[in-house]
Amino acid sequence: MNLEFWILDGIQNLRTPAADVLMPFITSFGNGGVIWIVLTVILLLIPKTRKTGLILAAALILDGIFCNLFLKNLVRRIRPCDINDAIRLLIPYPSDYSFPSGHTAVSFAAASALYFAGEKYLWKAALVLAAFIAFSRMYLYVHYPTDILGGALLGILCGYLGCRIVQKTEQYKRKI
């Protein structure tokens, strides 16, 4: 048995009826990145937080391109639930590939964008939610640990790049 299945199967030993309800609820926050898109819109609507909203928007766009359009289709990794179908899925079967975890990537892109934007408190709450979403994907047996790690790293990179793009755009506008 490889290490990734050993970890996933170990997580399955933590299953409880309460967690079986809670984990699909937590993972739903990452569905389509909707919670992060809503947060972006809210930040964009408030003049004081508009720059943070732009950074978050840039990070989410980059994540969507790199994760969902490029990496998932390049790697084409099948999901653990395809290999071990003895685990009863608590959510609908995901229709895309496994690597990297899109839920994790978008969540970490948002948390890191908020961090790089200088949000003192909001990034911490986003990071906690991102970590719970990432764990839920393994609990639900739809991602390998390396999918989660890859998604987190990609998300952090997108958060950083989103911040740099907005900063460079502002510098360019000042020069004109």
Side-chain angles (χ1 to χ4, degrees):
M1 175 188 293
N2 81 27
L3 179 61
E4 292 204 273
F5 277 105
W6 183 80
I7 292 168
L8 288 176
D9 292 342
I11 291 170
Q12 293 307 296
N13 291 330
L14 303 174
R15 285 182 71 160
T16 65
D20 284 357
V21 172
L22 183 62
M23 290 299 163
F25 177 72
I26 289 171
T27 215
S28 71
F29 285 112
N31 291 350
V34 173
I35 192 167
W36 309 118
I37 293 168
V38 169
L39 177 60
T40 301
V41 170
I42 292 168
L43 293 171
L44 287 169
L45 291 174
I46 302 168
K48 184 179 176 183
T49 60
R50 191 161 289 140
K51 181 179 176 183
T52 298
L54 288 171
I55 292 169
L56 191 50
L60 297 182
I61 290 167
L62 289 170
D63 173 70
I65 292 168
F66 291 138
C67 180
N68 298 324
L69 295 179
F70 183 67
L71 282 174
K72 279 187 178 280
N73 293 310
L74 178 70
V75 176
R76 302 178 90 129
R77 186 179 197 186
I78 62 172
R79 294 179 179 274
C81 56
D82 289 324
I83 295 172
N84 181 2
D85 60 4
I87 303 297
R88 182 178 59 89
L89 291 184
L90 301 173
I91 58 171
Y93 177 82
S95 60
D96 60 351
Y97 294 107
S98 190
F99 183 89
S101 167
H103 282 69
T104 302
V106 73
S107 299
F108 276 84
S112 63
L114 293 168
Y115 171 80
F116 291 120
E119 288 293 326
K120 291 182 180 170
Y121 304 107
L122 193 53
W123 78 269
K124 293 174 186 175
L127 180 61
V128 169
L129 181 56
F132 276 117
I133 289 171
F135 179 78
S136 76
R137 303 305 285 170
M138 292 184 292
Y139 182 95
L140 296 168
Y141 219 80
V142 294
H143 281 292
Y144 299 96
T146 51
D147 298 341
I148 301 305
L149 180 60
L153 293 173
L154 176 63
I156 292 167
L157 176 65
C158 290
Y160 174 76
L161 292 175
C163 184
R164 295 295 296 155
I165 288 169
V166 171
Q167 288 172 343
K168 290 293 184 183
T169 302
E170 285 182 339
Q171 288 174 356
Y172 177 76
K173 284 181 181 180
R174 282 192 285 258
K175 288 182 181 181
I176 299 178

